[in-house]
Amino acid sequence: MDFKTFLKTKREELGYTQNGLAKTIKMTQSYYNCLENGEIKNPPGEKILNKMIKILKLNDEEIARFNYLIAIERTPSLILKRLKTLTIQKNKKLPKHKYIQFYSKTNTETEPSAKEKNLNFISLPEVRNTKTLFTINMEGDSMEPFIKNSSLIICRKNMEVKNNEIGVFIINGEYCVKRLKIAKNYIALTSDNHNYPPIFISQEDKLNIVGKALKVINDIQ
């Protein structure tokens, strides 16, 4: 069962019309119809998803299923296509899926929503050491052209970020995705988009490295 089928089944169980459920969730009917028809690959934000969980009266098992299907929806299309081409061969097993925590609300200047009650994940096959991996969604153009708006960035926690490498940082309590610049007379967090000025680090600033960017997936639909 995919996300759109799950959504339709629960709606019909509760006796909602598409328009009625859309109004209850407070979204347009056209947007909801696109969700249920599978025409929108990126699910709505966490507030809307949490509201849907309450309105659809999902139990714990259904919530787990709901979040799993959301994770599948957010899995990059190129990986899903690859999985579809796999065939089961005699005495061989399909690759194991690994699930990586996904922060959907991260952008270049604000903190990832790490305190969300219903955490989300994306799946990647045959990935090792997933315990220290996390994925964030890039919003904004400060790291273009290398990291485009809406790209996924796969990062590893507590990994050294060297000069001219991209990482996720906390600077004075705020998260950002930047390139680390270490020069003789200064340390700065810089943007690839030169319309954004560098952030120079002084002795008074509190800088923490959250993780190092390992892989950027730009072609998310």
Side-chain angles (χ1 to χ4, degrees):
M1 180 183 294
D2 55 16
F3 176 70
K4 64 180 182 180
T5 305
F6 181 91
L7 194 58
K8 180 180 180 181
T9 301
K10 293 304 298 182
R11 173 180 62 78
E12 292 178 343
E13 286 179 1
L14 295 173
Y16 280 105
T17 63
Q18 287 186 336
N19 187 39
L21 184 56
K23 287 183 177 179
T24 305
I25 299 173
K26 295 184 179 179
M27 66 171 58
T28 64
Q29 183 180 358
S30 60
Y31 181 79
Y32 178 84
N33 291 348
C34 288
L35 275 179
E36 198 169 290
N37 293 333
E39 297 172 3
I40 297 178
K41 292 304 295 179
N42 291 326
E46 302 310 312
K47 288 184 179 179
I48 295 297
L49 291 176
N50 290 336
K51 185 179 293 185
M52 291 171 70
I53 288 173
K54 292 181 180 179
I55 292 171
L56 295 174
K57 300 179 181 179
L58 304 183
N59 58 36
D60 290 343
E61 183 177 347
E62 290 171 329
I63 291 173
R65 183 66 177 173
F66 181 87
N67 285 328
Y68 168 78
L69 294 175
I70 289 293
I72 294 297
E73 287 293 308
R74 285 171 169 160
T75 299
S77 58
L78 68 147
I79 294 176
L80 291 178
K81 289 178 181 178
R82 171 58 182 158
L83 291 175
K84 288 179 181 178
T85 65
L86 294 173
T87 57
I88 301 177
Q89 301 178 9
K90 190 176 182 180
N91 299 325
K92 288 187 177 182
K93 295 182 179 180
L94 288 173
K96 294 182 179 180
H97 289 262
K98 300 294 184 178
Y99 293 92
I100 302 173
Q101 191 166 319
F102 174 78
Y103 296 115
S104 60
K105 296 180 181 178
T106 302
N107 58 38
T108 56
E109 304 299 339
T110 59
E111 179 177 354
S113 51
K115 297 182 180 179
E116 293 176 11
K117 294 181 180 179
N118 298 300
L119 296 177
N120 292 288
F121 301 83
I122 67 167
S123 60
L124 294 174
E126 296 184 332
V127 176
R128 298 179 180 180
N129 301 322
T130 58
K131 290 184 179 180
T132 58
L133 290 179
F134 65 97
T135 304
I136 59 175
N137 181 222
M138 184 70 180
E139 296 180 2
D141 63 351
S142 71
M143 293 303 292
E144 290 190 355
F146 182 64
I147 305 179
K148 299 177 182 178
N149 183 32
S150 299
S151 297
L152 290 183
I153 310 172
I154 300 174
C155 308
R156 190 173 297 281
K157 299 177 183 178
N158 304 320
M159 188 173 184
E160 180 186 4
V161 179
K162 297 180 181 179
N163 184 39
N164 211 38
E165 292 182 336
I166 295 175
V168 181
F169 304 91
I170 307 176
I171 175 68
N172 298 326
E174 294 189 356
Y175 278 70
C176 62
V177 177
K178 298 293 181 185
R179 193 179 294 276
L180 180 64
K181 180 66 175 178
I182 302 175
K184 183 176 180 180
N185 299 321
Y186 67 86
I187 297 176
L189 303 179
T190 65
S191 301
D192 285 2
N193 184 341
H194 297 300
N195 291 324
Y196 292 79
I199 302 172
F200 292 97
I201 309 301
S202 68
Q203 293 183 350
E204 289 74 26
D205 292 319
K206 295 182 180 180
L207 176 67
N208 293 318
I209 299 174
V210 180
K212 177 180 177 179
L214 301 180
K215 175 71 175 178
V216 177
I217 305 174
N218 284 318
D219 56 349
I220 301 302
Q221 302 296 324

